[in-house]
Amino acid sequence: MPGAGVALRLDDVGAASKLHEVYGLTRVRVGTLAVPFPGNFLFLKYLPPIKRWGPYRELSAPEWEGVLAALEAAHARMTVAVTAGWVESDGGVTPFPRKFPAAAGVIREGVRRGLLEIANHGYTHCVLRDRLFRPRLFAGNREFHREFHDWLPAETHREHVARAQAILQEFFAVRVLTFVPPGNVFSRATLAAAVETGIRYVSCLDPGRVGRVDGLTWVTGGEVVAIHDRDLVVGGVDALRRLLGGRPAPPVTVSEVGQRLEGRAR
Ligand SMILES: [Zn+2]
């Protein structure tokens, strides 16, 4: 694939799981960094050994300005997987643009400048039912920080995918074509909902495990470098600069890679 870049994807923007998801060292997800990837980017090595995944804060507007500048300087683009609703402690859901207006404004500017693609990273990133998302005293709650379990009714999958699409498309004024299932968890009901709402690309680990879905293209594995907003909260925008500097070619967005794969499949 001459000149074909790899997609760069930043997950968990707007996801309140960064606040509510609490689990211990044994559960630290090495898995998220297990995608093919240069080893010097393992931010985990900068962390104190006992550090847990959360809680951590949302990226600020100035940090997003730095992200845009870094991408521009590297002639790179990036897909931002946004969770469209921020889950409050009482279970209420605030749309991302209302919860973080300054950061959302800079991200929208990045979209306008062609530096960022917005991807749907769910509506809540977690299970709202029975407040299962709340931290528990004697156990981790990680399971409930995945939104699209197959034990949830298909209607919940549809509602969450559609609500996220509506919020993101209205605020960012673009069609959202890429879906990134939170925590790599989804079912055929999730993908059916994705197709219904205009999604064309699904990006996560092994999205094809439930079989082919007409209208969807998987963008995964060696095609994607996936990082989390946490990597930039911990490592600063410098971490992104280092990553971009270490790439053989400037990264592109997931939908750009998806488009290329679609063309090849035809
Ligand atoms: Zn996530």
Side-chain angles (χ1 to χ4, degrees), residues 186 188 191 206-214 216 218:
F186 62 90
R188 285 197 74 87
L191 299 183
D206 190 21
R209 62 184 180 262
V210 298
R212 264 212 60 80
V213 176
D214 277 346
L216 293 181
W218 317 134

Side-chain angles (χ1 to χ4, degrees), residues 11-12 15 29 121 125 182-183 228:
D11 292 356
D12 286 351
R29 276 200 298 184
H121 195 46
H125 207 294
H228 290 84

Side-chain angles (χ1 to χ4, degrees), residues 98-161:
R98 204 184 317 148
K99 183 74 184 179
F100 300 102
V106 180
I107 295 171
R108 184 166 57 184
E109 175 62 16
V111 172
R112 202 189 58 75
R113 281 157 60 186
L115 296 168
L116 300 178
E117 176 198 13
I118 300 298
N120 180 333
H121 195 46
Y123 175 54
T124 58
H125 207 294
C126 67
V127 175
L128 288 179
R129 197 171 79 188
D130 305 328
R131 298 203 189 181
L132 288 170
F133 65 91
R134 296 283 294 152
R136 287 182 289 172
L137 276 181
F138 302 110
N141 63 349
R142 182 169 173 222
E143 180 191 358
F144 304 115
H145 282 279
R146 305 294 175 257
E147 182 171 349
F148 297 105
H149 288 287
D150 56 7
W151 43 262
L152 290 165
E155 185 46 41
T156 304
H157 291 245
R158 258 199 306 275
E159 196 183 299
H160 280 224
V161 171

Side-chain angles (χ1 to χ4, degrees), residues 58-78:
E58 196 64 32
L59 286 168
S60 68
E63 282 168 322
W64 275 109
E65 304 272 11
V67 166
L68 299 189
L71 289 170
E72 200 153 49
H75 306 288
R77 295 181 288 281
M78 180 171 78

Side-chain angles (χ1 to χ4, degrees), residues 148-264:
F148 297 105
H149 288 287
D150 56 7
W151 43 262
L152 290 165
E155 185 46 41
T156 304
H157 291 245
R158 258 199 306 275
E159 196 183 299
H160 280 224
V161 171
R163 280 190 186 178
Q165 284 291 90
I167 291 169
L168 299 175
Q169 294 188 140
E170 189 195 325
F171 181 78
F172 293 106
V174 283
R175 286 177 58 206
V176 172
L177 302 175
T178 300
F179 177 58
V180 180
N184 211 33
V185 172
F186 62 90
S187 71
R188 285 197 74 87
T190 328
L191 299 183
V195 172
E196 277 171 30
T197 55
I199 295 287
R200 279 163 56 189
Y201 312 112
V202 178
S203 184
C204 66
L205 297 174
D206 190 21
R209 62 184 180 262
V210 298
R212 264 212 60 80
V213 176
D214 277 346
L216 293 181
T217 298
W218 317 134
V219 183
T220 184
E223 309 279 359
V224 182
V225 171
I227 61 174
H228 290 84
D229 60 351
R230 183 182 192 281
D231 296 322
L232 303 191
V233 167
V234 173
V237 178
D238 265 350
L240 177 64
R241 283 190 207 101
R242 277 199 302 274
L243 166 68
L244 293 170
R247 301 298 311 172
V252 298
T253 64
V254 170
S255 67
E256 285 174 84
V257 172
Q259 228 165 13
R260 198 177 74 217
L261 296 172
E262 259 177 351
R264 213 165 48 183

